[in-house]
Structures are given as structure tokens and as C-alpha cells.
Amino acid sequence: MNEGLVADVIVIGAGIIGAACAQALARRGLQVLVLDAGLHGATAAGMGHLLVLDDNPAELALSRYSLQRWRALAPDLPDGCAYRNNGTLWLAANAEEMAVAHDKYLNLQAQGVACELISASALRQREPELREGLEGGLLIHGDGILYAPATANWMLDTPNVRQRRARVRAVDGNRVRLDDGHWLSAEAVVLANGIQANELCPELPIEPKKGHLLITDRYPHTVTHTLVELGYVTSAHNATGPSTACNIQPRPTGQLFIGASRQFGTTDPQVESWMLAKMLKRAAEYMPGLARLNGIRAWTGFRAASPDGLPLVGQHPQRQGLWLAVGHEGLGVTTAPGTADLLVAQLFNETPPLAAPPYLPQRFLGEPAYA
Ligand SMILES: Cc1cc2nc3c(=O)[nH]c(=O)nc-3n(C[C@H](O)[C@H](O)[C@H](O)COP(=O)(O)OP(=O)(O)OC[C@H]3O[C@@H](n4cnc5c(N)ncnc54)[C@H](O)[C@@H]3O)c2cc1C
């Protein structure tokens, strides 16, 4: 480390993305300082579903690679990270959605993702609480779940990573100004502060996408896989207006997470009863017994959405020394290891494990203004 620098790399944000980047950089021998303002970020609010998504080839490449990385990391994760390889079961309500399941199956199989089409009767055998009359489903074997806040803490607890509670008020290339007016410098600064990224870089095209979640009391063995309606792909993930989709996830505690909702154009963190009711009604349409369960807490969180749904990973083209790892929308827990590997490869000028161009910031910010 050069004299006058507080670290080789300063990472802004200790959510799952900042933590994964910090761990990957530290494992390459760099001294990393992580600054976090202690705001309630998306990592603490999300579902922790690790899933391969294939809305487009770049999303599939990053999620598929990241799932491989999570499975490789799994033996090292402490119990508190609550990692389980329980698989995702995509639910088809009708023949049209079963056709979507079939296309998805072919697409994923072609990319080497282990998956299986499930008939209506096999679906009820695997998940007896599902309502009768569903058309079938698609099981993705390698998907899983984890508890993201504990996993981020585990990543930050890596030799060469230091943490400091501080709010960054400005960034200038490889320098940051803190709340108290002090400037800190490093060889590089990584911006990984989720939905607050625009506060430090107003030019970033990131918008908040609000989500509601509910957790139930403990009902062990009610559900085995994470259950997601196939309509999620069209009705919720890509929608611009408010939307809900059935998403039921069994926690290792026996509790169930119930989601998912999406709303643009609001930063109000209040739980909205109309949206919560709509979301729960949708889930109960797939699993009628849910209506008898006791929900113990509902909350909201904000996903940092980019215009094309992909994260921005790489050096800021106009601010040399500032690296971006932002805009992970509803998939940042899944894609944290892939993001970290992409970032590290670019920082070290190495060939990345997957093609970097679809995630480069210049697709929104223009070509680099430096050599
Ligand atoms: C309801 C919901 C459900 C979700 N479900 C899933 C899911 O099932 N699977 C999945 O893969 N993803 C899911 N996500 C998405 C996932 O949670 C996010 O993509 C991911 O957590 C983003 O992590 P992050 O580190 O970028 O941001 P955050 O977790 O928001 O962390 C940003 C950090 O930056 C800090 N910070 C902000 N500004 C400053 C500043 N100026 N100075 C210092 N520190 C600062 C904050 O304190 C915060 O700790 C969900 C999100 C939501 C909201």
C-alpha cells in the first residue's frame, strides 16, 4: 500500500455486494477498508433465494456462474448463513405456462443447468400443500437459499478486511469524503451502496423498486422447495406497474417467507396493506392452506433497478479510480459472487470468468474519458 492511503481498496457499502467484493479483494492479498453508514439496505430486507434466471443470456450467465460459486462456497459457510440447496419449483397454472416451463427447460438444459419438467401429479407428490389443478412445473435442482445478512458478515470477517461505520458524502475518483469532512484515499474505491448509489453518483440510472415480504410462524415440513409461479417471469419481474407473484420459501427454522411484490415510483418504506393483501391472496391461490397460517411480521425493502435489469460492474468511465458494483435489482444475493469475481478480474486486468461487456457501466455512461 502506498503512503498516505488508508487501504488498497475502499469499499462503500457492507451489504452482500460490498461484502463479496471485499472478501474477494482481500483473498487476493489487498488491504480493504469497508465503510458503511448502517442504513437498512436490501440485503437485510430480501428473501435470500439463490436462483438461476434466464430472462436474457447475460442474466443467465451471471446467475448460473454465481450459483456454481455458492455451491462451491457452501461447505465453508457457517450454520448461521442457513444455506440450503433445496431447489426452485416453478409452478405452471395452465397449458400456456407449461409451454413457458418447457422453453425454460430447453434453454437451461442447453446451458448445463440441471432441471426437470414435473407433471401435475408429481408436483402434488413433491409439494402436497399446493392446490389441485396446477398444470405442472419445472424443478431447478441447483438453486438454494441463504440468510444474506449473516453471509455478508461472514464475508467481512476475512483477514485484510477492516470495517468502519461512516457515511460517505462524496466520491472523487479514488478518494471519498466522510460525514465529518475528512477525505480518505486508496488505490481504488468500489461503490457498492445499493439504492443510495445515486446520492454519490447522480449520473447512475438506478431506480428503487419496492418489495413487500411476510414471514410466518414455524410450520416445519409444510414446503420443501422454493415455490415460484411461472407468471413471475412475465407479470412481476419485468412489469413496470405494481405487480405481485406467488413466491413461497421454506426457511430452515420451519418458517415461510411469502412474497413477492414490485412497485416503482415510491421510496415510502411503509407496509401498504392493499399491496400486502394482494400478495398474500396471490400466494394463497397456489397454496390455500396458507390462509390458516399465522404471519408474524411484514416489511418492505428496495431493489436497486437498472434500465436493463443487469448490474453495473466495472470502472466508472468518467471517474478514474472509482469502480461500480451496483444495480443488482432483485437478484443481488444470488449474483454477489459473480459480481465480485468480475470486479476483481477487471481490477487486476485479468480475463474474467464470464464475458464482462453486458455488465460494463459504459452501456449507460458512455465510453471512458481516460486512457
Ligand atoms: C423485498 C426484496 C426481496 C429480495 N429477494 C431476493 C432474493 O430472493 N434473491 C436475490 O438474489 N436477491 C433478492 N433481493 C435483492 C437483493 O437483496 C439485493 O440485490 C442485494 O441485497 C443488494 O445488495 P447491495 O450490497 O448492493 O445493497 P444493500 O444491501 O442495500 O447494501 C448497501 C449498503 O450501503 C450502505 N450505504 C449506503 N449509502 C452509503 C454511504 N453514502 N456511505 C456508506 N455506506 C452507505 C448501506 O448502509 C447498506 O448497508 C431482494 C430485494 C428485496 C428488496
Side-chain angles (χ1 to χ4, degrees):
M1 196 192 332
N2 287 342
E3 228 174 281
L5 305 182
V6 290
D8 293 314
V9 181
I10 293 173
V11 176
I12 307 170
I16 195 78
I17 298 296
C21 292
Q23 184 183 56
L25 291 163
R27 286 184 168 177
R28 296 294 294 262
L30 299 185
Q31 299 291 327
V32 183
L33 174 63
V34 179
L35 302 172
D36 193 279
L39 310 172
H40 187 77
T43 301
M47 278 183 114
H49 184 196
L50 306 176
L51 75 164
V52 173
L53 277 184
D54 62 339
D55 288 348
N56 57 65
E59 183 184 64
L60 174 55
L62 184 58
S63 58
R64 175 179 164 272
Y65 172 80
S66 295
L67 256 300
Q68 283 170 3
R69 292 277 286 104
W70 279 122
R71 288 192 294 271
L73 280 171
D76 297 333
L77 295 175
D79 283 352
C81 297
Y83 172 82
R84 297 289 185 280
N85 174 204
N86 64 326
T88 301
L89 199 39
W90 290 91
L91 308 174
N94 50 42
E96 198 186 340
E97 289 185 5
M98 202 60 210
V100 174
H102 193 255
D103 288 349
K104 204 172 168 62
Y105 167 78
L106 293 178
N107 191 25
L108 293 178
Q109 272 245 319
Q111 296 301 318
V113 176
C115 54
E116 189 184 339
L117 284 165
I118 304 280
S119 68
S121 58
L123 189 61
R124 296 239 322 142
Q125 262 171 15
R126 286 179 188 260
E127 295 291 354
E129 292 290 325
L130 286 172
R131 77 163 162 86
E132 283 180 41
L134 292 174
E135 192 78 17
L138 175 65
L139 176 58
I140 315 291
H141 293 283
D143 285 1
I145 54 171
L146 55 67
Y147 183 50
T151 309
N153 284 339
W154 169 75
M155 289 167 154
L156 293 167
D157 189 21
T158 296
N160 296 342
V161 177
R162 282 179 296 137
Q163 292 184 66
R164 180 164 158 191
R165 174 66 69 93
R167 183 152 195 163
V168 175
R169 288 294 178 187
V171 286
D172 174 25
N174 60 342
R175 304 190 313 145
V176 303
R177 181 165 53 79
L178 304 184
D179 242 351
D180 61 7
H182 277 99
W183 284 92
L184 303 178
S185 303
E187 298 283 359
V189 169
V190 176
L191 188 71
N193 65 337
I195 201 62
Q196 275 86 24
N198 303 58
E199 290 177 9
L200 298 175
C201 283
E203 67 276 22
L204 295 178
I206 292 189
E207 267 193 83
K209 215 182 200 182
K210 181 174 178 178
H212 284 71
L213 278 179
L214 178 134
I215 192 160
T216 70
D217 223 330
R218 293 171 192 240
Y219 302 99
H221 314 300
T222 310
V223 176
T224 305
H225 308 86
T226 302
L227 306 175
V228 190
E229 68 165 288
L230 268 159
Y232 179 88
V233 179
T234 48
S235 75
H237 195 60
N238 298 321
T240 49
S243 61
T244 58
C246 167
N247 189 327
I248 303 167
Q249 182 191 110
R251 301 302 303 163
T253 54
Q255 295 170 285
L256 297 177
F257 264 157
I258 304 176
S261 75
R262 286 171 199 257
Q263 289 164 274
F264 274 111
T266 173
T267 50
D268 178 3
Q270 285 296 314
V271 170
E272 293 166 77
S273 51
W274 68 272
M275 181 49 99
L276 187 63
K278 190 171 147 77
M279 185 181 90
L280 297 177
K281 185 168 173 283
R282 186 68 182 166
E285 281 167 15
Y286 283 79
M287 188 174 290
L290 278 184
R292 292 191 299 275
L293 307 187
N294 190 20
I296 58 171
R297 191 166 80 86
W299 67 94
T300 66
F302 292 90
R303 310 166 179 97
S306 73
D308 62 7
L310 295 172
L312 285 73
V313 186
Q315 190 164 198
H316 190 303
Q318 280 85 42
R319 300 184 187 221
Q320 195 166 13
L322 177 64
W323 295 73
L324 303 175
V326 294
H328 290 77
E329 225 262 78
L331 206 54
V333 177
T334 300
T335 56
T339 297
D341 288 358
L342 269 172
L343 186 95
V344 168
Q346 292 178 64
L347 255 160
F348 279 83
N349 209 10
E350 295 168 353
T351 306
L354 63 165
Y359 322 101
L360 290 179
Q362 30 269 63
R363 71 191 194 277
F364 301 119
L365 303 177
E367 287 308 306
Y370 46 83

